[in-house]
Amino acid sequence: MIPKLIVGLGNPEPKYDQTRHNIGFAVVDALAIAWQCSWYDHKRFQGWFGEGLMAGQKTCLLKPRTYMNRSGQAVRAVVDWYKLEPQSVLVVYDDMDLPLGRLRLRQTGSAGGHNGMKSLISHLGTQDFPRLRLGIGKSDGSKDTIAHVLGKFTPSELPIVEKSLDLATEAIAHSLHHGIAKTMSLFNNRDVCP
């Protein structure tokens, strides 16, 4: 299955910009720049939405404005409007169980404790849709999980984050040409850490 809708998960307020939890937003922002795709605030879809021709097919980008815990509402609105199969929705989000600089692409899976994914699974009625998880690393113990996830990357982490974004956009572009399964085999073992 080739993705037709790419969703980045995050929270909409400026105070969440460049936080670990918003790395999904950062990936689709990078895609929009690379593909010269403009964002607009789409009321029906409850999010920032863009579309264009990528790899010879119409592809949509979405950043839900519903906050992380209700991301499924916005995604469901787009899926219903365009009559998309859940398997054609690629969701990009943060994962603190992966080290910074690592990504994992999967065709299906559970929410794994991620509230945004719980909302998507609930609203789509299935967990059978592809997802791209970007590692944000675990807290060093000096702060709790929520503070870590909602915190910004440190200056020393930013070069790794930039390389992670590049790798993620490369993987997504590859999936549009070759599908999720082939892309998984090429990208899941790559690591941008020094």
Side-chain angles (χ1 to χ4, degrees):
M1 179 72 71
I2 302 289
K4 294 180 180 168
L5 170 63
I6 301 162
V7 180
L9 297 188
N11 287 309
E13 290 182 65
K15 68 180 180 179
Y16 297 111
D17 288 350
Q18 299 179 17
T19 61
R20 296 171 190 277
H21 216 25
N22 272 33
I23 201 165
F25 275 12
V27 170
V28 293
D29 281 337
L31 289 173
I33 291 167
W35 296 344
Q36 299 179 341
C37 180
S38 298
W39 291 111
Y40 63 98
D41 191 355
H42 199 295
K43 302 293 184 209
R44 178 189 305 272
F45 298 158
Q46 302 171 63
W48 294 285
F49 184 77
E51 61 185 337
L53 282 177
M54 287 68 152
Q57 71 166 5
K58 183 172 158 181
T59 306
C60 303
L61 300 175
L62 176 69
K63 296 191 301 182
R65 279 187 294 101
T66 53
Y67 289 89
M68 186 68 79
N69 295 355
R70 296 182 315 200
S71 300
Q73 293 174 205
V75 174
R76 183 65 197 232
V78 178
V79 165
D80 287 349
W81 181 259
Y82 285 102
K83 298 178 175 47
L84 299 174
E85 294 293 324
Q87 294 78 18
S88 68
V89 179
L90 174 59
V91 182
V92 185
Y93 63 103
D94 61 292
D95 188 338
M96 65 182 219
D97 290 329
L98 287 175
L100 185 65
R102 178 97 27 100
L103 60 79
R104 283 290 177 270
L105 182 63
R106 296 281 185 256
Q107 290 182 313
T108 185
S110 70
H114 194 283
N115 289 331
M117 290 301 288
K118 287 179 186 174
S119 177
L120 263 87
I121 289 168
S122 173
H123 281 84
L124 294 178
T126 182
Q127 61 184 22
D128 294 333
F129 54 88
R131 68 276 320 269
L132 177 61
R133 298 176 293 139
L134 274 75
I136 60 167
K138 289 192 183 296
S139 170
D140 61 7
S142 64
K143 51 188 168 184
D144 67 14
T145 300
I146 293 172
H148 175 70
V149 169
L150 295 179
K152 295 186 185 290
F153 292 102
T154 66
S156 65
E157 291 174 324
L158 289 175
I160 300 171
V161 172
E162 288 302 316
K163 290 178 184 175
S164 294
L165 295 177
D166 290 344
L167 185 60
T169 57
E170 185 184 344
I172 292 168
H174 188 275
S175 76
L176 294 178
H177 289 281
H178 305 287
I180 297 294
K182 188 165 188 181
T183 303
M184 285 169 53
S185 68
L186 290 176
F187 285 86
N188 277 351
N189 292 322
R190 292 176 63 182
D191 191 330
V192 300
C193 288

